Amino acid sequence: MAHTPNHPVENDIRNTYQWLEDRLPIISFLNNSVGSNFMAPRNLSYMWNFGSLAGIALVLQILTGIFLAMHYKPDVHMAFDSIQHIMRDVNWGWLIRNLHMVGASFFFIVVYIHMARGLYYGSYKSPREVLWGLGVVIFLLMMATGFLGYVLPWGQMSYWGATVITNLLSVIPFVGPDIVVWLWGGYAVGDPTLNRFFVLHFVLPFVIIAVVVLHIWALHMHGSNNPKGISLTKQTDYIPFHPYYTIKDIFGLGVYLIPFTFMVFYAPEYLGHTDNNIPANPLVTPAHIVPEWYFLPFYAILRAIPIKELGVLAMFGSILILFVLPWLDKHPVRSARFRPLYRPLYMLFLANFILLGWCGMMPAEGIYVRIAQAATAIYFGFFALLPVLSKYEKAKPVPTSI
Amino acid sequence: MIRTFLTLAFLATWCLVPGAFAAGDAPALEKQQWPFQGLRGSYSKDQLLRGYTVFTNACMACHSIKYVGHRDMMRAGFTEAEVQALAKNLDMSIDQKLLTAQDDQTAIETFGKVPPDLSLINKARAGLADYTFALLMGYSEDPELIHHSFPKGLPEGAHYNKAFPGHAIAMPNPLTGPDLVTYHDGTPATVEQMAKDVTVFLQWTAEPERVERQHMGLYVLIYLVLFTLLAYVTKRAIWKDVKGH
Amino acid sequence: MSTKPTAPHATDDDAPLGDVDAERRALLVNATAAFGLAGAACVALPFVSSMNPSRSVKALATLDVNLNDIPLGEAKTFLWQGKPVFVWHRSEDQITEARKGDTTATMDPANDADRVQKAEWLVVMGVCTHLGCVPMRGGEYGGWRCPCHGSQFDDSGRVRQGPAGTNLEIPPYRFLDDATIRIG
């Protein structure tokens, strides 16, 4: 791409494409990235739609978020009122806020499916370890952004969710309590907290974009994995991303937007909590503090362990363990299709993850704690078994070509 | 893989439906048919005015609706002259919000707490509109019922209510009997009618955008279904030359 | 950046499309693109519209001014929709001066009688028609001069010296009674 002395430069601006290409080769760059010069395996299933769908969901969140930020006020006395101002007074404010609220949930649905697909087809295995790791970074940033965003409406769940989650950090030895005070900018969640959470909620999505760029860069090194999990050698195994996968993604987007839109217009607060329509009150804690649904499995792990420090460790560990997944599972076969043991184990893991989510929603008492403990054990057991499987699992015959 | 996913997605939706497992202390609520529900649901101006009448006569002595003023009612189809007249009756300007005259201190002395603002009440309690209605209909003096929940008698200053979690509510029954108000349209003001009307009014104060939202959603969905079908046909046409598809 | 194959369209040679198929394909692609872009344009509208004045801003669109507060011969400034409005209680002399201007104000000719509802009350926007500064009382023509670029306005708010080219605007207002006007 770089200019070499013997490369004639196009100076006739009427030859627009070449003229621009010789100055800023952005069109060929896009073409190589997501256009007709990017070759993708031709056997990708609809499970591969969720990567680009996640990208679209991110853009939609940023777009709606920017317009909401024009009307929102990060001040404990005004935050709740400004949300009502958006819902009642701002032209189409209710639509933009509903898109943002429902969009957050759907973003997580898409990313969870995207991750589950990677887990099933071994997309994290060599040579895609860094690609996977960057994905986990994006997931962590998303969780942080989602948490910060849920605080902004300054309802009861916002306030008490923020209090409970920030207090988790107090388990850090020696400096924990100081860190919590530093995070709050006071001795409880308050005005300084809300103000900085707003700033961070605004900034983090752009950090996510930066990591997404790295994620796509890493993807382009070896291309997409595929349902058979095999490395493709023949040129005929590939088709250009554009138009084949662009149109497939557009169709997928349509399918995605139908339930999404239905929620936006007919059940915008269905996934939220009624307590968040009560202004924050530092004197009264709601009867049941429930985080947003996308945190529930991890929340269940936190509460399953009766020792505070260990619970926090287990919760963070349950996400961080994803970073070392490529080194836990070193089985040479990628796709679960050809792994008779990994496949049922994977199903169990997924079902168990949903069970954990259910536990996170239930009060932390009696039988629910026992179930959550068993589910936590299965969660970590899955990862503990992977090195064993890598050694002893005998795979079915793997095809050499698609 | 896709089949597995659909199964799990179904399982997850079923499991994680909020409210599918209601918390133990909240009494089960009877589901009502509300006119604002459904794809073509709407608020009727007459019912809103009836609900407004109940609110201003039976609730506003203690409760505010701080996010709504008379001018905002123009969004529900009232004309400026109509809201001017309504506001004049209450000695208010149309730009003032519906605030109670009771001050917080008096409220605390009388009820032990400041009565909550009702702007968002239908979105702020589990059970939503059904809860508001059930609460208004839930007062009872039946000694057997009271004795069942409170063998040692009701707590001081509390009132028995079937729908309220814990059954002891500080708010006295606001709809003590029929004909508390006279409706502009001659509808008989039974207790149930008043409870229904004021619940609908409170739904409107909580979600004034609801009708616009529901009506618009239908068009957006129709557009999206058409778009998706078109995209699918195009996808099929483009993929025609790929082997194995 | 890429080590992957950069094959030409791998399938082109295998199964060439017939003319009919190619035509149908092009038609469908165009239809999807057009339909999708139309939808996207519709989505953009609410976002653009959200930046326009909200209901609560529009609700503050009127301002009542008590005229008893303004002494004869003096002008007071009020804030209406975020902008200053001058209400000038003109004396007999000032009205006479303003009427003389009917013939001498040539930059943007207008009759004083058309610019007031009652001769003793001149109500004009306090926004210079050049670039929006707030003019100050004074200048050579009895009315205002703008501190930013020196435009001058007379007793009727007519422009007499540039760079402004048009007279001070008159906001919509009406007399509720002899002592009150409602602006907006």
Side-chain angles (χ1 to χ4, degrees), chain A residues 12-68:
Chain A
D12 186 351
I13 197 166
R14 281 170 304 180
N15 185 2
T16 314
Y17 171 74
Q18 196 55 47
W19 185 89
L20 184 65
E21 196 62 17
D22 287 342
R23 284 155 181 82
L24 180 73
I26 188 166
I27 294 172
S28 60
F29 174 76
L30 288 175
N31 216 6
N32 291 333
S33 309
V34 288
S36 49
N37 275 344
F38 174 40
M39 302 305 288
R42 67 184 170 87
N43 65 334
L44 299 185
S45 72
Y46 277 103
M47 295 310 294
W48 266 261
N49 273 51
F50 290 90
S52 64
L53 213 46
I56 294 170
L58 173 64
V59 170
L60 191 65
Q61 284 308 93
I62 291 180
L63 215 72
T64 49
I66 286 172
F67 281 85
L68 286 176

Side-chain angles (χ1 to χ4, degrees), chain A residues 255-297:
Chain A
V255 174
Y256 164 80
L257 285 178
I258 289 170
F260 175 69
T261 305
F262 182 83
M263 294 286 290
V264 165
F265 286 97
Y266 296 104
E269 302 197 34
Y270 188 70
L271 292 166
H273 198 290
T274 46
D275 275 347
N276 229 24
N277 282 314
I278 304 171
N281 181 353
L283 301 176
V284 182
T285 307
H288 299 286
I289 298 188
V290 193
E292 288 280 77
W293 69 267
Y294 38 82
F295 294 129
L296 287 173

